Amino acid sequence: SLPFVAESFGQNYPEEADGTLDCISMALTCTFNRWGTLLAVGCNDGRIVIWDFLTRGIAKIISAHIHPVCSLCWSRDGHKLVSASTDNIVSQWDVLSGDCDQRFRFPSPILKVQYHPRDQNRVLVCPMKSAPVMLTLSDSKHVVLPVDDDSDLNVVASFDRRGEYIYTGNAKGKDLVASFRVTTGTSNTTAIKSIEFARKGSCFLINTADRIIRVYDGREILTCGRDGEPEPMQKLQDLVNRTPWKKCCFSGDGEYIVAGSARQHALYIWEKSIGNLVKILHGTRGELLLDVAWHPVRPIIASISSGVVSIWAQNQVENWSAFAPDFKELDENVEYEERESEFDIEDEDKSEPEQTGADAAEDEEVDVTSVDPIAAFCSSDEELEDSKALLYLPIAPEVEDPEENPYGPPPDAVQSSLTDEGIGSEKKRQSSSDGPQAPKKKPKTTNIELQGVPNDEVHPLLGVKGDGKSKKKQAGRPKGSKGKDKDSPFKPKLYKGDRGALPLEGAAKGKVQAELGQLSTISEAKCLFIT
């Protein structure tokens, strides 16, 4: 019990705001990789912005989708990302190259995508009004998971911590691994909105429509079996304001639970073991929360509201005595009394150290080559870290005025070409000397057909489905607009000095006009960014 007592004195949850991350575009969803070194943010213009979380700088931007990104998930080794957008497309990305490996087109909007925790060849997809689907990436096949009640297809699903089971929950409050009902206490069932698992231990939480977060022990659930009635370990709620919860998740060590309010930018943090509310973090008034993610290793939370990622962390107090044990902080000046031999070349008052201890210290070899695995990065059933894991992304430095260009032509050739051919032709010659760039391989797109699934559903991010007349306009590029762009209000204007103002002839002119025709169908915000 001693380690538990020692741990309980340390506060392992954030206490104040620690800056923001501005992705330029409007951020909608975010997720940390397994080590917390990279943060992937999905934006409303379809881009995925990957932040280096240690330097708080953008490490990579992937132009992933045309429509807003609504869900993201990292693979176990960090080399792959799977994303879903509001136009029903699921894509897998190579993080290092930024290339798309393959795409899947679904008939209805995607609420969530999740890699198998131990097998990144399998992805769990939760489409709207459909049973969950398991994708196998190697052969592009899919399997529709069985559900308890075919008439109720408001299903959420999640892998458990190691991917041994898939937990599914429906609008009738039924969780399907061991098939138990989540009741409100009066035999009425309540709809399950999300299921989240802790990174450590066997606990998971269920966010339900009755505004109560229930925490269960996975081992007890499996012991109860089918049609059992397990009691939750904790019931967490805001008794004063009856706050509905937008997103809930565990801390990295599984000891705390954070829930984001669906009404305002407020984060509630509870201690799991006792169930007491320890902190409420308030963001800017009037903002609505979209997503919350807790850092896998450190007491840091990332939340999204109004398109900006907010970071919450602990207040770091400088403690110099931790580095120098004899260091003392002084409240006021003290007159220092100098020792007789303090500034002598040889300290005469210094006591002679014992010879045996000094010899022993000299003979002891210090190992500076081997690297011990970091316990926080290893699972309980692993002894070593993944040697092939992608923890950081390489960033090329931006040099404004390079003195020498090792990859370009010699300086004499540059000077002669500048005088003879002009600056424009010099750039052309340099690009051609690098050799023709290999065209990017077009990713394979697989259409997923699901029986009995309506194809007119609108993603919750884009608004509520109405009668057709009141349907909210979708963000991004409208479907079927190719070739119908003559009267488009979003046609980009060409200014002097732009690429469109260059003299073009023949095929090149036609190609640029065709490209501009495609650009004109992109949303107004994106056109402004391009021009």
Side-chain angles (χ1 to χ4, degrees):
S1 63
L2 188 62
F4 172 75
V5 173
E7 279 178 20
S8 62
F9 284 107
Q11 293 182 348
N12 289 324
Y13 55 86
E15 297 172 312
E16 60 182 24
D18 187 30
T20 58
L21 306 177
D22 190 357
C23 300
I24 304 168
S25 314
M26 294 275 289
L28 297 177
T29 182
C30 65
T31 179
F32 284 101
N33 67 352
R34 191 168 151 238
W35 308 272
T37 53
L38 299 172
L39 175 71
V41 180
C43 301
N44 74 332
D45 61 357
R47 296 192 303 169
I48 299 171
V49 180
I50 300 176
W51 291 82
D52 186 312
F53 203 69
L54 296 184
T55 62
R56 302 276 176 98
I58 295 177
K60 197 172 196 68
I61 297 177
I62 301 173
S63 297
H65 299 271
I66 300 169
H67 288 253
V69 178
C70 56
S71 182
L72 285 170
C73 185
W74 290 88
S75 65
R76 183 173 173 80
D77 64 4
H79 282 272
K80 304 287 184 184
L81 258 176
V82 65
S83 66
S85 66
T86 55
D87 58 349
N88 313 351
I89 288 178
V90 173
S91 304
Q92 179 179 252
W93 303 92
D94 185 285
V95 176
L96 268 176
S97 66
D99 295 336
C100 181
D101 293 338
Q102 53 186 318
R103 284 195 178 98
F104 297 88
R105 185 177 283 109
F106 281 78
S108 65
I110 309 301
L111 299 177
K112 175 185 174 181
V113 287
Q114 184 186 12
Y115 272 110
H116 188 286
R118 297 294 173 94
D119 179 9
Q120 60 190 49
N121 185 40
R122 289 190 282 172
V123 174
L124 179 65
V125 182
C126 297
M128 274 180 74
K129 306 289 185 189
S130 166
V133 176
M134 176 77 79
L135 295 177
T136 309
L137 301 178
S138 58
D139 55 8
S140 301
K141 291 186 177 177
H142 72 279
V143 175
V144 180
L145 301 180
V147 289
D148 188 59
D149 186 357
D150 291 335
S151 63
D152 177 27
L153 290 175
N154 293 306
V155 179
V156 294
S158 176
F159 284 110
D160 67 357
R161 185 166 64 99
R162 291 188 180 150
E164 295 169 355
Y165 299 96
I166 296 174
Y167 285 62
T168 64
N170 60 22
K172 295 181 179 177
K174 202 152 190 182
D175 199 300
L176 215 120
V177 169
S179 189
F180 66 93
R181 289 188 184 277
V182 179
T183 60
T184 57
T186 57
S187 78
N188 293 328
T189 56
T190 176
I192 295 173
K193 293 165 71 175
S194 65
I195 304 170
E196 302 286 341
F197 281 82
R199 280 170 52 88
K200 293 186 177 178
S202 57
C203 293
F204 67 95
L205 64 82
I206 294 178
N207 179 20
T208 51
D210 64 354
R211 306 176 186 190
I212 298 175
I213 301 164
R214 293 167 172 81
V215 185
Y216 291 91
D217 187 338
R219 291 169 298 192
E220 186 190 347
I221 299 298
L222 296 171
T223 308
C224 283
R226 194 169 179 85
D227 295 324
E229 291 187 6
E231 280 297 313
M233 295 166 53
Q234 298 291 351
K235 287 185 177 181
L236 312 173
Q237 59 182 313
D238 180 6
L239 288 168
V240 179
N241 301 315
R242 295 289 295 154
T243 305
W245 308 112
K246 177 77 175 175
K247 176 75 187 289
C248 314
C249 63
F250 284 92
S251 61
D253 58 6
E255 293 301 320
Y256 293 91
I257 291 164
V258 62
S261 168
R263 289 180 180 156
Q264 58 183 329
H265 190 183
L267 303 174
Y268 291 66
I269 301 173
W270 291 272
E271 196 171 352
K272 184 193 73 178
S273 56
I274 307 171
N276 60 320
L277 183 68
V278 293
K279 190 73 179 175
I280 302 176
L281 300 169
H282 289 284
T284 310
R285 286 177 68 89
E287 291 184 347
L288 286 178
L289 193 76
L290 289 177
D291 202 2
V292 179
W294 195 306
H295 193 281
V297 184
R298 296 163 63 192
I300 295 176
I301 293 174
S303 65
I304 295 180
S305 66
S306 297
V308 177
V309 183
S310 301
I311 306 298
W312 307 85
Q314 285 182 326
N315 182 19
Q316 299 295 332
V317 180
E318 292 182 350
N319 183 12
W320 290 95
S321 59
F323 304 102
D326 55 346
F327 182 86
K328 291 179 183 176
E329 281 192 56
L330 302 176
D331 295 327
E332 56 185 17
N333 290 338
V334 176
E335 192 172 330
Y336 181 68
E337 293 182 9
E338 183 185 319
R339 293 199 315 271
E340 183 71 29
S341 59
E342 184 162 1
F343 294 103
D344 294 352
I345 296 173
E346 289 185 8
D347 192 352
E348 296 172 359
D349 301 337
K350 189 173 161 186
S351 58
E352 288 287 328
E354 290 183 19
Q355 198 67 27
T356 53
D359 291 342
E362 278 182 28
D363 295 339
E364 186 181 347
E365 287 188 11
V366 180
D367 182 9
V368 293
T369 55
S370 60
V371 181
D372 292 334
I374 301 170
F377 290 168
C378 299
S379 297
S380 55
D381 58 344
E382 292 177 323
E383 293 182 2
L384 300 173
E385 292 179 48
D386 188 353
S387 59
K388 296 179 181 177
L390 181 67
L391 271 72
Y392 305 99
L393 284 175
I395 303 175
E398 293 181 5
V399 183
E400 290 183 1
D401 299 314
E403 293 180 6
E404 292 181 2
N405 183 8
Y407 303 107
D412 297 339
V414 174
Q415 288 295 327
S416 62
S417 62
L418 285 173
T419 53
D420 296 344
E421 303 171 27
I423 296 171
S425 56
E426 157 58 12
K427 287 184 179 178
K428 188 176 179 183
R429 195 182 63 76
Q430 276 192 26
S431 62
S432 61
S433 66
D434 295 339
Q437 289 187 344
K440 283 190 177 180
K441 186 181 174 185
K442 195 173 180 182
K444 178 186 175 186
T445 302
T446 306
N447 286 317
I448 305 294
E449 294 182 4
L450 302 174
Q451 297 296 324
V453 176
N455 57 8
D456 60 342
E457 293 294 328
V458 178
H459 198 280
L461 272 176
L462 303 177
V464 184
K465 192 182 83 167
D467 55 358
K469 296 176 184 176
S470 61
K471 193 178 287 187
K472 192 174 179 181
K473 188 178 178 183
Q474 294 190 11
R477 187 184 298 163
K479 290 181 181 178
S481 61
K482 196 172 182 181
K484 301 176 184 176
D485 53 353
K486 290 180 182 177
D487 301 318
S488 171
F490 301 141
K491 188 170 284 189
K493 296 175 183 177
L494 292 178
Y495 298 98
K496 197 171 182 181
D498 262 345
R499 279 181 292 179
L502 294 174
L504 298 166
E505 290 182 13
K509 187 174 181 180
K511 185 179 179 183
V512 170
Q513 285 177 342
E515 287 176 359
L516 290 175
Q518 289 182 355
L519 282 175
S520 66
T521 61
I522 305 176
S523 65
E524 188 172 19
K526 201 159 183 181
C527 282
L528 289 172
F529 181 77
I530 290 166
T531 57

